[in-house]
Amino acid sequence: MWRRAANKSREVLAIERLPKKQRQQQLSEVIAHNPFVTDEELMKMFQVSIQTVRLDRLELGIPELRERIKLMAEQSYDQVRTLALHEVIGEIIDLQLDKTGISIFEIKEEHVFSRNKIARGHHIFAQANSLAVALINDEIALTASADIRFVRPVKLHEKCIAKAYLRSISRGKAKVEVFTYVGDEIVFQGNFLIYHSRKDKGSEGGDLNADSD
């Protein structure tokens, strides 16, 4: 037991001894791979103080999490054709029309039951539904039906990351699948049938995005 503990301590010390340049390079790569990572998570990952993480970001010109999300959302909202900004539940931070989309939604006090601090299901559904509609490259798109599954309760202050994939599109209708995660854990899944007004015919019945991760 003590040997395992000693080995773990040496591993931690090895991480702490990373040269500044190497640490900053790895930190930059981590954020590029996962822009939702928090300073606290980076602090634990690199075994340094929160001040060190913030200084590293500052030197690298990487904004804090809230600002990163805001910048990504501003770039994506311009592409949304089906919904007004105030009608989107959550913040769309990546959108490729008729392909894929990602949104983030933080659970706050107004979204939970007061007694147990668990998110009301309609908020989780609304995030996924608005992302599915926003994915469609058309000025008119409406949800016709949805087959949904809540995998586990979502709690106060958790961040829901919804990922939408266009599975097929044909004249007048499209099928969109949405997965919602908290961290790496799936909490919601939905299959949406979206009616749209576009007259051209796409890939009817075809699986356009086989990878759902």
Side-chain angles (χ1 to χ4, degrees):
M1 179 70 72
W2 66 268
R3 288 180 180 175
R4 287 199 297 269
N7 288 337
K8 188 172 182 180
S9 296
R10 283 195 291 271
E11 290 172 2
V12 169
L13 288 172
I15 293 173
E16 289 178 333
R17 293 196 192 104
L18 274 178
K20 179 180 177 180
K21 185 175 181 180
Q22 185 179 349
R23 184 186 67 241
Q24 289 186 344
Q25 180 181 353
Q26 291 186 13
L27 183 143
S28 179
E29 292 172 354
V30 168
I31 294 176
H33 178 71
N34 177 18
F36 311 118
V37 66
T38 65
D39 285 354
E40 288 75 14
E41 290 170 333
L42 291 168
M43 175 186 73
K44 295 175 183 178
M45 192 179 302
F46 290 96
Q47 294 294 319
V48 295
S49 68
I50 193 74
Q51 290 82 6
T52 298
V53 170
R54 289 168 180 166
L55 285 172
D56 281 348
R57 281 198 299 96
L58 186 62
E59 291 183 21
L60 292 166
I62 299 174
E64 63 179 356
L65 174 61
R66 189 174 298 276
E67 188 63 24
R68 293 199 300 272
I69 292 173
K70 181 181 177 182
L71 290 171
M72 289 187 289
E74 288 174 350
Q75 294 169 359
S76 299
Y77 278 133
D78 290 340
Q79 301 180 59
V80 179
R81 298 185 61 198
T82 55
L83 298 171
L85 182 61
H86 68 276
E87 294 171 329
V88 177
I89 307 302
E91 293 183 279
I92 296 178
I93 52 88
D94 183 62
L95 187 67
Q96 299 180 55
L97 292 174
D98 284 348
K99 292 182 179 179
T100 63
I102 300 174
S103 73
I104 185 168
F105 179 54
E106 182 176 358
I107 302 302
K108 300 179 180 178
E109 287 285 353
E110 61 266 30
H111 305 131
V112 301
F113 294 104
S114 59
R115 182 170 295 180
N116 53 27
K117 303 301 181 183
I118 290 176
R120 298 172 185 266
H122 65 271
H123 292 298
I124 309 300
F125 170 81
Q127 178 194 13
N129 184 53
S130 62
L131 181 61
V133 171
L135 195 64
I136 306 304
N137 186 13
D138 196 349
E139 293 181 356
I140 299 176
L142 301 168
T143 303
S145 64
D147 179 13
I148 64 173
R149 181 169 66 98
F150 292 93
V151 180
R152 77 134 166 101
V154 179
K155 301 174 183 177
L156 180 65
H157 301 313
E158 288 190 317
K159 290 183 175 66
C160 294
I161 299 173
K163 300 182 179 182
Y165 304 85
L166 182 72
R167 294 311 190 191
S168 68
I169 188 166
S170 60
R171 174 179 285 186
K173 64 182 180 180
K175 294 179 181 179
V176 179
E177 189 169 20
V178 180
F179 300 87
T180 302
Y181 300 85
V182 171
D184 294 327
E185 185 179 7
I186 188 168
V187 297
F188 173 91
Q189 180 180 357
N191 291 285
F192 296 85
L193 178 63
I194 309 294
Y195 284 164
H196 62 89
S197 61
R198 211 168 70 205
K199 300 302 182 183
D200 59 307
K201 188 173 181 179
S203 177
E204 184 169 12
D207 188 349
L208 304 181
N209 297 278
D211 185 7
S212 60
D213 292 329

